Amino acid sequence: MTTTSIRPDGRQADQIRPLEIVQGLLHRPDGSAQFALDKTSTLAAVYGPMEIKIRDEKVDRATIEVNYKPLTGQSGVRDRWVEFNVRRTFEGVVLTALHPNTLIRIELQESRVHGSEISAAFNAATMALMDAGVPMRTIVGSVSCAIDDQGTLLLDPTEHEIETATSFHIFAFDSEMQGALFNDSIGSFTPEQYNACHEICRKSVSKIFSFMRTAVEKKLLTQVQQLQKE
Amino acid sequence: MDRRRVNGPELSVAPLVATVDAEGAVNFVQETPKQAFTPDTKRQDGRSAGDIRPIYLRAGLVNQASGSAYFEQKNTRVTCGVYGPRQNKKAQFNELARLECEIKFTPSSCEKRRALHRDPEEKELANFIAQALSPAVKLDRYPKSTISVYISVIQCDGWWSAVAAAITCASVALIDAGIDMIDSVVAASTLVANPSTVLMDASQSEEDAHPHIDAGVLLVAELPTFKSITHVVQMGKLDINQTTKATEACLEVCAKIHGVVNHYLRESVIQQAEI
Amino acid sequence: MSSSAPSPFVLSAAAFEKIAPEEYYKRFTSQKIRPDARRFPAFRQTSVQINSISTAYGSSVVRQGNNMVICGIKGEVAEPKFATPKQGYVVPNLELSPICSADFAPGAPSELAQTISHRLDQLVRTGHLLDLEQLCIVEGAAVWTLYVDITCLAFDGNILDAALLALTTALQNTKLPRATFHEETSLITVEPTSPSTQSADSATVALTVARPLFAASFACLPDGVILADPNATEEKVAETLVSIVLDTSGQLAHVWSHGKTAVANSPTIQACIEQARQRVSELQNIIQLAAPKA
């Protein structure tokens, strides 16, 4: 495994793309965030806890609904699959027992597509939930990686790198970073390669978490400054 | 383009069937040549005109359902699941239960691939299966509720025989679900091929060989104990004498099918008692 | 005068299961057994029936415990994509019909059906289940489209395993009619095949599945219990669900874990992969038993 090779966009094999987080950019939802991995970016909006249809009501906890919209065209089965996984993950993370008989709706919209969109969606959802002040047990960070035909691990792959890869792995971790909350790997790979992917993603998710922390700190700081001015 | 399913290419067509001879000439395969049936000629599968294919029946295949049944006549295979009585989704009060019926031919059940979504033909069929069944069900025993009958045709060898099988199968599933009924419902179908021949339980190749233009089909659903008919479907060209003759033939077969159903139900009760 | 003492409150097992499913399961798992009398690593009895539907090019019926799925394959002719002029299409769809469980309403496919359909589609394409170039009739002009329609008739959890087994075995036993392209008319015709002469005739071409894939799924309960092949109730009480897809050489094709607790790459996943390996060899035996006798 070589980690020194340079990728077409000038990155090292184990380097993630430049991150960008904007919180609270939408006014109508209760919380919103945009999470960008360079040219990949996803917009998330959170509504709730709010009123729910009697049909979907759960007496002991809040119901979580996730809607994922692709950049172009109508949504399809792939988007249902993303929704299923995001919902399953956040059902275990959001403290739903604090808001019984309510609905928490997470809207995800791809705004730029250049590989690893699902990881961006997980991260955007976390930031938007935080922005909405929805209580959570932990925060969720996600990183993807691919293995190319040479057996090289490519962290945070671009669209082209995924297309030519032999396997593609998505991991989502909680802040303890012990094991993955969510994992989806597909292609052809050995258990050893799987472990290597897990390790590299686990290590680099800490970068995402620290970036999330900085973003929240910055946002709070500006809010405090504004209050002081007033 | 169906956004709730995995989609293939925009356009695909069923292949044309043809034989190519040594000179490269293409001969499209013709439909089975028409054959005049007389009461003594044997049919393709060795039956005589009044015979039906052997029946295999089983109840209670789907453990999640309130009741279920599987009905097989050679290559015609039908399965049915009954759910309910369960709460009516609409808040409106109704003294009678609603008998809801759905039928789906699985995509690979027929010669040509069928669409995954329910087509109008299936909706129409579902309506009249519900009409054939509801006189037997004591709907007044279940106010405010819905009884759902879901039928899936796994393989269809003869359209009308599959529909008749679906009705009989659904009635067994209703019995399996323990729904109060006044009687079981059995159905039989027939193809009237030429002035004199009544082909019971026609297979697909027989249906193909006798298009509606010069033949007729008749399906009868009956409450066998009450000797009353709950539904009749008639299509094609039939005069009144042929219709009468075909109805009588169907009722005769209904009695036979009722024998099979009864025998099965009795055996299964005895078996359960032994356990 | 003896006043009858109030009868002690007794809860039936069925009611207990409905009211507190987690607690109900804990009573069993603490005794190292499951309510259906299976041990933790035991899969439900599985059987495969090959090519029982004569109207399909290939078909299989899979029973796994109380699960029953039917997979039928139909072929149609279509134009290939410009970028891949030799590749045909495989279009897998899972229908969770309302017959199979009260959880599925009639009408549009449920979220679960769509999720699994997408999964199967990805396994065929990204997982390289079969070489799509064998579906080519005329390069750049005509290819086969195989519609793989999987219908669930009885549902009791772990549908991915059953659906993938049905898909793999049906494709392995698919025979395409031999297709001819007529240049002067640019028509595609196929040789007639009658169901009775289907075995070993020159009018059909058998499909080869380069990389048969098999799934094994597990439910992780609290306190480290791993249940193999969870049924519908076990799926509901599970903290996390893990699915492993392997090929016959032991190479991984897919790992999917989702749920409340972090498990990936922990000893749990390793244990699941190990159990999945055993399951694959078990399934191969089952398939061999089902194979039509030559």
Side-chain angles (χ1 to χ4, degrees):
Chain A
M1 194 181 85
T2 49
T3 48
T4 48
S5 64
I6 301 286
R7 290 151 76 174
D9 53 4
R11 280 187 291 155
Q12 301 287 317
D14 59 350
Q15 197 180 352
I16 48 176
R17 286 171 284 181
L19 303 172
E20 193 194 331
I21 295 175
V22 188
Q23 267 188 308
L25 69 167
L26 303 174
H27 296 287
R28 301 290 290 181
D30 296 312
S32 60
Q34 173 131 29
F35 188 96
L37 290 153
D38 196 21
K39 283 182 203 153
T40 294
S41 131
T42 302
L43 184 64
V46 168
Y47 295 87
M50 61 181 191
E51 199 181 320
I52 186 170
K53 275 187 209 150
I54 298 174
R55 192 169 54 108
D56 304 326
E57 207 172 54
K58 286 176 187 147
V59 286
D60 56 345
R61 65 206 133 106
T63 305
I64 294 183
E65 184 189 311
V66 179
N67 293 307
Y68 189 83
K69 299 270 156 54
L71 180 61
T72 52
Q74 284 189 319
S75 63
V77 284
R78 172 207 171 234
D79 308 299
R80 293 296 90 66
W81 168 78
V82 177
E83 287 167 8
F84 180 88
N85 288 317
V86 173
R87 183 171 55 78
R88 284 278 302 172
T89 305
F90 282 99
E91 270 172 355
V93 168
V94 173
L95 299 173
T96 48
L98 295 178
H99 300 283
N101 302 321
T102 59
L103 172 71
I104 297 168
R105 206 170 88 212
I106 306 172
E107 299 282 342
L108 297 165
Q109 168 71 56
E110 288 179 348
S111 49
R112 272 175 297 161
V113 176
H114 197 61
S116 313
E117 304 87 33
I118 292 150
S119 282
F122 269 98
N123 296 333
T126 306
M127 296 310 288
L129 282 166
M130 248 196 277
D131 189 44
V134 173
M136 290 192 282
R137 169 172 76 79
T138 175
I139 55 169
V140 180
S142 171
V143 186
S144 304
C145 84
I147 299 176
D148 70 8
D149 45 9
Q150 311 291 315
T152 315
L153 277 177
L154 301 171
L155 193 68
D156 187 23
T158 59
E159 204 167 14
H160 178 72
E161 285 169 336
I162 295 169
E163 270 167 26
T164 53
T166 57
S167 65
F168 177 56
H169 312 255
I170 309 165
F171 288 93
F173 296 86
D174 58 12
S175 53
E176 282 173 29
M177 293 186 288
Q178 287 303 313
L181 270 182
F182 163 74
N183 160 231
D184 188 276
S185 303
I186 196 150
S188 175
F189 51 100
T190 62
E192 291 72 39
Q193 284 178 317
Y194 174 76
N195 288 345
C197 288
H198 177 270
E199 270 319 290
I200 196 170
C201 288
R202 194 172 69 87
K203 275 189 195 130
S204 50
V205 81
S206 59
K207 285 179 199 145
I208 302 230
F209 282 138
S210 59
F211 195 81
M212 283 178 175
R213 174 175 266 279
T214 330
V216 174
E217 274 173 359
K218 256 189 207 159
K219 188 188 128 196
L220 290 176
L221 209 64
T222 40
Q223 277 176 359
V224 170
Q225 280 166 353
Q226 262 177 359
L227 281 174
Q228 280 169 346
K229 264 186 220 163
E230 285 164 17
Chain B
M1 179 77 183
D2 183 347
R3 61 193 184 87
R4 294 195 182 91
R5 291 188 172 93
V6 176
N7 289 287
E10 264 176 47
L11 181 75
S12 68
V13 288
L16 296 165
V17 179
T19 50
V20 187
D21 57 26
E23 285 103 62
V26 183
N27 307 307
F28 288 100
V29 174
Q30 297 292 315
E31 283 176 351
T32 337
K34 266 175 224 166
Q35 205 184 331
F37 288 101
T38 58
D40 8 282
T41 41
K42 292 278 184 222
R43 290 153 75 177
Q44 275 175 346
D45 47 7
R47 289 186 278 158
S48 65
D51 284 352
I52 55 167
R53 289 166 286 185
I55 295 172
Y56 173 78
L57 179 65
R58 241 187 91 186
L61 276 161
V62 186
N63 73 322
Q64 304 265 333
S66 319
S68 58
Y70 172 78
F71 188 97
E72 180 181 297
Q73 275 186 303
K74 279 269 179 71
N75 278 337
T76 293
R77 293 163 189 178
V78 178
T79 172
C80 174
V82 169
Y83 287 86
R86 53 187 179 186
Q87 192 187 347
N88 223 341
K89 277 197 194 106
K90 283 180 192 135
Q92 214 174 12
F93 176 77
N94 199 339
E95 275 180 38
L96 295 180
R98 204 168 71 88
L99 189 74
E100 174 193 67
C101 186
E102 298 255 355
I103 183 165
K104 181 83 198 92
F105 284 72
T106 59
S108 50
S109 62
C110 302
E111 275 307 313
K112 194 177 181 310
R113 178 177 184 262
R114 294 188 68 87
L116 281 163
H117 54 83
R118 222 172 305 280
D119 58 21
E121 208 173 13
E122 287 166 342
K123 278 182 189 155
E124 190 197 344
L125 276 187
N127 265 339
F128 80 60
I129 293 175
Q131 284 167 9
L133 291 172
S134 48
V137 183
K138 295 182 89 174
L139 294 173
D140 55 330
R141 290 291 306 273
Y142 309 102
K144 299 195 278 186
S145 37
T146 303
I147 299 164
S148 311
V149 177
Y150 301 123
I151 301 162
S152 179
V153 181
I154 299 166
Q155 201 178 341
C156 164
D157 191 358
W159 179 266
W160 292 103
S161 84
V163 177
I167 293 172
T168 315
C169 182
S171 126
V172 175
L174 280 166
I175 294 166
D176 185 47
I179 307 276
D180 282 3
M181 291 165 83
I182 57 166
D183 197 357
S184 54
V185 184
V186 289
S189 71
T190 184
L191 179 78
V192 185
N194 56 36
S196 60
T197 323
V198 175
L199 297 175
M200 290 310 300
D201 184 28
S203 68
Q204 189 66 49
S205 60
E206 285 166 343
E207 275 186 9
D208 290 345
H210 300 279
H212 284 165
I213 307 155
D214 64 357
V217 285
L218 188 88
L219 179 140
V220 174
E222 189 203 19
L223 303 176
T225 325
F226 289 82
K227 299 253 178 279
S228 51
I229 291 171
T230 60
H231 208 87
V232 180
V233 181
Q234 192 221 300
M235 274 175 89
K237 201 171 143 191
L238 289 180
D239 65 31
I240 188 79
N241 292 329
Q242 286 173 315
T243 311
T244 320
K245 196 180 162 200
T247 314
E248 275 162 8
C250 280
L251 289 177
E252 224 168 89
V253 168
C254 278
K256 283 185 199 160
I257 298 173
H258 182 227
V260 176
V261 171
N262 258 1
H263 176 78
Y264 172 76
L265 291 174
R266 207 165 29 234
E267 289 295 301
S268 59
V269 168
I270 293 168
Q271 248 174 29
Q272 268 171 7
E274 276 169 7
I275 295 164
Chain C
M1 285 288 284
S2 64
S3 63
S4 60
S7 62
F9 175 69
V10 182
L11 194 62
S12 75
F16 184 22
E17 188 186 356
K18 276 235 161 82
I19 294 166
E22 279 94 357
E23 190 56 38
Y24 178 80
Y25 260 82
K26 219 176 265 173
R27 295 284 172 91
F28 283 93
T29 51
S30 62
Q31 302 294 317
K32 303 247 176 291
I33 195 87
R34 292 150 81 167
D36 57 1
R38 275 191 288 162
R39 297 270 170 204
F40 296 161
F43 282 78
R44 287 170 288 182
Q45 200 182 354
T46 308
S47 72
V48 184
Q49 199 186 342
I50 300 295
N51 284 354
S52 56
I53 300 173
S54 55
T55 43
Y57 287 168
S59 71
S60 69
V61 179
V62 168
R63 288 189 180 80
Q64 183 164 11
N66 287 324
N67 271 331
M68 176 156 121
V69 295
I70 291 181
C71 175
I73 293 172
K74 281 273 195 189
E76 289 193 354
V77 179
E79 241 179 73
K81 281 185 190 144
F82 187 73
T84 52
K86 284 173 99 174
Q87 288 188 2
Y89 306 85
V90 174
V91 189
N93 270 301
L94 172 69
E95 287 289 301
L96 294 169
S97 63
I99 292 182
C100 70
S101 161
D103 295 344
F104 307 117
S110 62
E111 188 191 41
L112 181 67
Q114 293 185 50
T115 305
I116 303 291
S117 295
H118 174 69
R119 188 79 297 167
L120 296 173
D121 182 37
Q122 272 198 316
L123 282 170
V124 171
R125 289 188 291 112
T126 327
H128 300 291
L129 189 83
L130 76 167
D131 180 13
L132 294 174
E133 292 194 358
Q134 64 184 310
L135 301 174
C136 180
I137 301 171
V138 182
E139 188 177 335
V143 291
W144 282 106
T145 302
L146 296 183
Y147 291 98
V148 182
D149 296 300
I150 307 169
T151 310
C152 179
L153 291 179
F155 177 86
D156 194 14
N158 193 9
I159 196 65
L160 177 69
D161 288 20
L164 185 61
L165 181 60
L167 176 133
T168 306
T169 49
L171 280 172
Q172 278 178 326
N173 291 284
T174 297
K175 280 181 184 150
L176 294 175
R178 207 172 281 281
T180 329
F181 179 67
H182 306 282
E183 265 181 39
E184 63 274 27
T185 49
S186 60
L187 275 178
I188 306 258
T189 59
V190 298
E191 304 269 316
T193 49
S194 63
S196 51
T197 58
Q198 207 170 28
S199 54
D201 56 357
S202 58
T204 58
V205 194
L207 210 63
T208 40
V209 177
R211 194 182 177 217
L213 296 177
F214 301 100
S217 299
F218 305 88
C220 305
L221 300 189
D223 38 279
V225 174
I226 305 173
L227 305 178
D229 188 16
N231 64 25
T233 344
E234 285 164 348
E235 275 188 346
K236 275 179 196 156
V237 296
E239 291 254 292
T240 302
L241 295 170
V242 179
S243 291
I244 311 274
V245 177
L246 289 165
D247 61 16
T248 44
S249 69
Q251 187 94 336
L252 288 162
H254 176 44
V255 178
W256 185 27
S257 77
H258 54 97
K260 285 180 203 158
T261 42
V263 293
N265 204 49
S266 60
T268 319
I269 290 274
Q270 304 303 329
C272 290
I273 294 177
E274 220 22 73
Q275 286 191 38
R277 285 234 164 90
Q278 287 170 18
R279 173 68 175 164
V280 171
S281 51
E282 196 181 304
L283 283 176
Q284 279 175 296
N285 286 336
I286 292 169
I287 291 173
Q288 241 157 30
L289 284 177
K293 304 282 175 293

